[in-house]
Structure formats: C-alpha cells, structure tokens
Amino acid sequence: MTTARAPGKIILFGEHAVVYGQPAIAVPIHQVSAIVEVTSISASRLGVIHVEAPDIGLDSWLHEMDQDQPLARIIHLTLNEIGIHDPPALGITISSSIPIASGLGSGTAVSVAIIRSLSNHLGQSLPLKRQSELAYEVEKIHHGTPSGIDNTVVTYAKPIFYKRGCDPEIISIGAPFTLIISDTGVQSPTAVAVEKVRRGWQDDPNIYESLFDEIGRLVLQARYSMERGQVNKLGPLMDQNQVLLEAIHVNSPPLQALINAAREAGAYGAKLSGAGLGGNMIAIVDPLNAHAVEKALKQAGAVSTLTTEVIE
Ligand code: MEV
C-alpha cells in the first residue's frame, strides 16, 4: 500500500487580484489534510481502478466515471504523465479532513495526494513542479481562470509568494505568528466569486485594476514584514486588504460578523480568505489571546475555528 498526504491552505493576502497578475501570499495548514491510499487489488483484468471516497459517498470503477469528474481526471492525467496505460488493478481510497468549498483547498489537496500516491505506487515519483502543474489542470475544471496559487502552496507545503507566470518563491518567516481560521459555514464555490469579480472588472476595468494594484502593493509590504518578523505590521495590512476585498464585492454579512467579532475581541487584524462570499475568514492574534478570540467567533456564529502557528 502507498499512502500520500497533502495539506490544506489559506490565502493570507492577495486573493482575487492574483487572478489578474498581482502577487499573493498563501501558507499551508498542516492540521488538516487529504490522504490517499493506493493498493494493488485482485481483479480480472489489468488497468481497472476502483475509486472510493467515503466522505462524498463515491464508490465506483474509474472506467464508469465521467472523464471530466475531477477525481477521474487527475487519475488519468497522472497515469498519462508517467506513461503507464495498463497499470496493475488498483484501489484508490480518498479521505480528507479539509472542509469542502470553504477556501481551505480541499479539492486541490485531494488532487495532489492522488498524484503522489499513484505515481509513487507505480514507482515513478514526480517532481513538485510537475505535481503542481497536473493539479492545476484540475483547478481549471473548478473555475476557468485559476491563478495557480492553490495548487502551488498545497504542493510545496511552504509559505509562498506567488505571481502568475513566475516560479513560486518560498517565504522565510522571520518570526512565527498565530492565526485563527474561522468558518462561516456558508459554502462558497470559488467559481461563483471569481465570476462575480470578473463581471465587476468587465463593467469597470479602471476601478478594478486600481484596486488590484493596491492589493498587490499590500502583498509586497506583507512579504517584507513576514520576512523581517514584523508581526505587528501584519494585522493592519490584513484590515487594509479586507477594505479592498469589500470594494470588489466578495465580502458577505456572515464574514463581516466574524471579522468584527475577532477585532472586538482583540485580534490585531482580520479579513476574509480565499474566494469570499462565504467560507473562511482569518484573524492574526496574540497567542495568549487566541482562546478569547475563538470564543468571540463562536458566539458570532462561526461553525468552526482553527488556531494555527505560521512558521517556516
Ligand atoms: C481561491 O483560493 C483564490 C482566488 O484568488 C482564485 C485563484 O487564485 O485562482 C479567489
């Protein structure tokens, strides 16, 4: 049996603007992950693959699945990449502790864990760059114009500075800091929010381009502060990023309620994270105050909170 895992992720700064060529910063979240097990099974013929994902009620043979189903697609892409078209009969079991459609990269982590477990099981592990590129192909099924940040951070599993078309840069964190990630419980498919921003940009390209430029400037400042361990600068930068995300209309009342609650309970700063319109928000906190902020978030309606330390 071969097992592989890929972490969840969270975007710290720069979501949406990154689709339009601005830089963004994301970090892996190792407390949640997707795990995929590949086993050889006895079956009557070569090349048959059984796929099981109990979390989503999937129990099927690969050849019976729609080719554009994201799980089927990544399996085919991986086999194609390693040039094995008739593998021994295999069972692939997928599980994940990453909440779906909440901005934590659940689908991406599943893709990466499948690529790793399947290629390793067949004796042909793939370089990280290639794993990320294959996962990107599946991101395109979820929404037409992914920036590539999600597959990159999940594959490299390090804090990254990402700009479309450039090699990702790993950020070396000058001093660790504590984040609380909190879920509104409102599922928000990335495609819907990305499309909303696209319509806004098409209607008013000048305004949107200048908002994206401002977000890009914040991202550069955030990188500088992260690398130099200036943790106290990150909260205000998150608040400023949130104002710009509101201006491109991806905020929502449940997100705002959690952001207000975190700030009132003493968080240094807070913003939505990922696509917005629902899903998760993040707050940067003093670790000694994390418990109080978590309590305030739950009282304000959060369905879950996760405290995590960002370290290199
Ligand atoms: C989604 O996690 C992040 C977005 O910026 C979309 C993307 O980068 O592809 C909203």
Side-chain angles (χ1 to χ4, degrees):
M1 181 172 81
T2 309
T3 304
R5 161 192 302 268
K9 63 89 200 173
I10 202 88
I11 298 193
L12 295 190
F13 295 95
E15 52 275 270
H16 286 294
V18 67
V19 174
Y20 297 82
Q22 296 293 336
I25 295 173
V27 295
I29 303 296
H30 294 285
Q31 282 111 313
V32 289
S33 57
I35 299 176
V36 174
E37 287 173 6
V38 178
T39 45
S40 300
I41 55 172
S42 49
S44 49
R45 61 188 174 94
L46 278 179
V48 289
I49 296 186
H50 184 252
V51 186
E52 209 180 337
D55 300 343
I56 55 164
L58 177 82
D59 185 336
S60 185
W61 291 97
L62 181 63
H63 58 267
E64 289 168 353
M65 290 166 72
D66 184 341
Q67 300 264 322
D68 280 336
Q69 205 274 8
L71 300 176
R73 181 117 172 83
I74 199 66
I75 295 168
H76 286 300
L77 280 168
T78 307
L79 292 174
N80 207 35
E81 177 71 17
I82 59 182
I84 297 184
H85 300 288
D86 276 324
L90 296 173
I92 299 182
T93 306
I94 300 154
S95 61
S96 172
S97 57
I98 309 173
I100 294 171
S102 63
L104 286 172
S106 56
T108 318
V110 165
S111 292
V112 173
I114 289 177
I115 297 165
R116 283 187 184 147
S117 54
L118 190 54
S119 57
N120 290 350
H121 191 80
L122 297 171
Q124 299 204 37
S125 59
L126 295 169
L128 290 179
K129 187 168 192 296
R130 203 56 203 130
Q131 291 178 25
S132 181
E133 285 165 355
L134 291 178
Y136 180 75
E137 291 304 309
V138 179
E139 299 295 290
K140 287 200 259 183
I141 302 178
H142 295 299
H143 75 104
T145 55
S147 65
I149 190 168
D150 290 0
N151 47 289
T152 305
V153 66
V154 166
T155 307
Y156 287 82
K158 297 266 187 203
I160 58 150
F161 176 87
Y162 179 84
K163 193 170 179 337
R164 235 179 156 151
C166 304
D167 282 339
E169 295 174 46
I170 291 170
I171 299 180
S172 77
I173 305 285
F177 56 91
T178 303
L179 283 183
I180 300 181
I181 303 164
S182 182
D183 194 349
T184 57
V186 180
Q187 288 202 350
S188 171
T190 304
V192 174
V194 168
E195 182 49 33
K196 185 172 183 194
V197 174
R198 177 163 307 278
R199 278 199 307 272
W201 172 70
Q202 279 164 346
D203 289 349
D204 213 337
N206 290 341
I207 295 271
Y208 271 65
E209 291 290 349
S210 70
L211 292 168
F212 296 150
D213 286 348
E214 272 190 66
I215 292 175
R217 280 194 285 276
L218 288 181
V219 171
L220 296 179
Q221 290 175 48
R223 177 184 182 166
Y224 184 92
S225 298
M226 284 169 75
E227 287 177 337
R228 279 156 191 79
Q230 299 167 342
V231 174
N232 59 337
K233 300 259 170 76
L234 296 176
L237 289 172
M238 277 188 186
D239 290 343
Q240 290 169 44
N241 196 164
Q242 173 64 16
V243 171
L244 296 167
L245 287 163
E246 279 167 45
I248 60 168
H249 305 293
V250 288
N251 197 24
S252 71
L255 280 165
Q256 193 60 50
L258 299 189
I259 290 166
N260 292 345
R263 288 179 185 153
E264 279 157 24
Y268 297 141
K271 63 183 275 294
L272 67 85
S273 175
L277 300 179
N280 277 286
M281 54 73 72
I282 52 175
I284 182 164
V285 298
D286 178 338
L288 296 174
N289 193 34
H291 185 67
V293 177
E294 284 203 56
K295 203 168 146 205
L297 285 165
K298 285 197 181 120
Q299 276 166 357
V303 295
S304 68
T305 58
L306 176 72
T307 298
T308 188
E309 199 183 26
V310 178
I311 46 174
E312 188 154 353

